[in-house]
Amino acid sequence: MKKLLSAILATFLLSSLMGVTQAKEFEVGQKNKSFTKDELTIKAGDTVSFPNKDPFFHNVFSLSEIKSFDLGSYKQGDTKKIVFFKPGTVEVECAIHPKMYMKINVKK
Ligand SMILES: [Cu+2]
């Protein structure tokens, strides 16, 4: 019985510890031909989702040194997510609307 209790306690402690360091998810919408945030600060390991809230296609890409990616083009209501592991600055753009631009600061 004592063993079982300490096992439960250990599991509880472990999961609460993990809860503290758990990665977060942030949202940057695409609305009125712009990103809903000009700048976002996150921690390494966090996820950012980019829901398209306009009645036309958007694209999400970056050519940044720490994270180069292309989530492709997608329609209203769709969303794509990406995880950032390396600390640094990520410049995010839309290939369809060249004026769309925002920055993500990834902290250690
Ligand atoms: Cu766009």
Side-chain angles (χ1 to χ4, degrees):
M1 190 63 185
K2 230 180 180 179
K3 259 186 185 171
L4 181 69
L5 272 177
S6 51
I8 290 169
L9 191 67
T11 309
F12 177 75
L13 279 174
L14 195 67
S15 56
S16 59
L17 267 176
M18 283 165 75
V20 171
T21 54
Q22 209 166 41
K24 291 197 179 102
E25 189 170 322
F26 295 85
E27 187 184 289
V28 177
Q30 300 166 94
K31 193 155 178 59
N32 300 323
K33 278 191 192 174
S34 60
F35 291 108
T36 54
K37 290 184 178 87
D38 293 332
E39 206 165 341
L40 175 70
T41 301
I42 65 169
K43 274 189 163 181
D46 287 347
T47 301
V48 180
S49 65
F50 296 93
N52 182 350
K53 298 180 175 182
D54 271 329
F56 40 80
F57 277 72
H58 281 299
N59 159 276
V60 181
F61 80 96
S62 179
L63 300 173
S64 299
E65 214 174 286
I66 69 145
K67 186 90 176 175
S68 172
F69 63 90
D70 187 355
L71 301 181
S73 300
Y74 49 98
K75 65 180 191 312
Q76 183 175 32
D78 284 359
T79 184
K80 296 222 173 153
K81 295 176 185 184
I82 189 155
V83 186
F84 296 92
F85 293 106
K86 273 191 194 170
T89 305
V90 184
E91 296 180 302
V92 182
E93 297 168 77
C94 167
I96 302 167
H97 308 104
K99 281 182 182 166
M100 288 177 66
Y101 173 87
M102 62 94 51
K103 254 201 260 182
I104 298 174
N105 303 306
V106 186
K107 303 274 175 207
K108 263 189 192 170

